[in-house]
Amino acid sequence: MQKLSQHTAILIFSRTAREEAHVKQFGRHLSAAQNLKIAQLLIRRTRRMAKRTRLPVFTVSGGQQRGRTFGQRFTNAIADVFDKGYDQVITIGSDCPALTPQILLDAQQQLQRGKIVTGADHSGGIYFLGISRQHFLRQTLANIPWQSGQDFDSIRQYADQLQIELAAGSMLIDVDDARDLKRVVQGGHANCDLLKKLRQLLQYARISVSCPVWFPQFAFPNACGLRGPPVYPVG
């Protein structure tokens, strides 16, 4: 095993781009190829963003995942990173364009202070989870009702059961469907490069189909300004 230069690793746990495009419809007038392109843009942006933290980054997607349920696949992936010798793991998905390196580095600091770290998305799920080896109860975490809109509340209860302080970040948007993508594009909830590419893709789709895409206007107020790091209140 190589010598670890960091105690914390980032785990990108997600579907493949093709799986994302199959499960999610980012716009009802988008072609299959355009839908796939959006999924690819989100995944590539996530990987570049994670690498900018200069923390070790591991990706587990598609057929690399092991387990019957989401909870089993998720916790197996986390356990595999711990098995590599890391003491803390920050897991992220691939569909939160407003997630920044600074948010992840702030989460690392909270982990080093003995806390569990998470952040709620707009639908009751979570867009990241930071946990230390000592607080990782594999079976308990696997049995959480994941993808039910109760993820954040379940993590809060998990921390309460362990009597561990939970550090919660600001609420961000996960892109799960066309409405979420509209909010991201119109609200500037992503970096400039991603917004530009999404805007070009959606404008092209609007021209190339007989019925106009229901993204009526593309407004970018303060689109280039990244959101500040979240405030972590005492749980």
Side-chain angles (χ1 to χ4, degrees):
M1 180 184 299
Q2 67 181 40
K3 182 178 180 181
L4 301 181
S5 59
Q6 301 281 357
H7 296 292
T8 306
I10 294 173
L11 167 65
I12 302 175
F13 182 84
S14 70
R15 300 183 182 99
T16 65
R18 290 194 178 278
E19 289 169 341
E20 279 284 275
H22 177 74
V23 171
K24 298 180 180 180
Q25 178 53 253
F26 297 114
R28 59 192 177 94
H29 294 300
L30 294 175
S31 68
Q34 290 162 343
N35 212 57
L36 175 61
K37 181 65 174 178
I38 290 174
Q40 291 171 334
L41 286 172
L42 292 171
I43 290 173
R44 283 201 295 264
R45 187 266 165 185
T46 298
R47 290 176 177 171
R48 288 196 299 266
M49 181 277 302
K51 289 179 180 178
R52 285 172 55 200
T53 64
R54 298 187 178 181
L55 296 173
V57 178
F58 300 92
T59 299
V60 177
S61 62
Q64 297 172 322
Q65 299 176 6
R66 309 184 328 275
R68 183 176 56 84
T69 67
F70 176 89
Q72 291 171 350
R73 295 190 295 272
F74 185 54
T75 52
N76 284 341
I78 295 173
D80 287 346
V81 179
F82 282 133
D83 288 345
K84 295 179 185 297
Y86 295 95
D87 297 319
Q88 295 136 2
V89 177
I90 302 172
T91 64
I92 61 176
S94 61
D95 54 2
C96 185
L99 190 59
T100 66
Q102 190 58 55
I103 291 175
L104 298 179
L105 292 173
D106 288 344
Q108 180 192 26
Q109 293 181 3
Q110 297 295 328
L111 284 171
Q112 292 172 346
R113 293 169 185 157
K115 303 177 184 180
I116 294 174
V117 194
T118 193
D121 65 25
H122 63 292
S123 60
I126 60 172
Y127 58 89
F128 81 114
L129 173 66
I131 194 165
S132 299
R133 181 193 301 271
Q134 67 198 82
H135 302 146
F136 178 63
L137 303 183
R138 188 171 185 170
Q139 192 59 50
T140 303
L141 270 180
N143 290 336
I144 280 178
W146 296 104
Q147 300 178 307
S148 66
Q150 302 174 31
D151 307 48
F152 181 79
D153 289 338
S154 296
I155 293 298
R156 185 186 296 277
Q157 293 171 10
Y158 177 87
D160 287 345
Q161 291 172 1
L162 292 180
Q163 298 183 324
I164 301 299
E165 185 175 348
L166 179 70
S170 301
M171 184 179 293
L172 299 180
I173 298 174
D174 268 351
V175 180
D176 295 324
D177 52 32
R179 180 174 298 182
D180 296 338
L181 185 63
K182 177 182 177 181
R183 292 175 65 186
V184 167
V185 171
Q186 292 187 329
H189 301 293
N191 65 30
C192 281
D193 183 57
L194 178 63
L195 285 174
K196 180 180 179 181
K197 291 177 180 177
L198 289 174
R199 182 183 186 186
Q200 290 173 341
L201 183 61
L202 294 174
Q203 285 182 327
Y204 175 79
R206 185 174 183 174
I207 293 170
S208 65
V209 295
S210 56
C211 298
V213 170
W214 58 262
F215 297 89
Q217 299 293 332
F218 293 92
F220 293 89
N222 300 318
C224 293
L226 292 177
R227 297 182 57 157
V231 176
Y232 291 98
V234 175

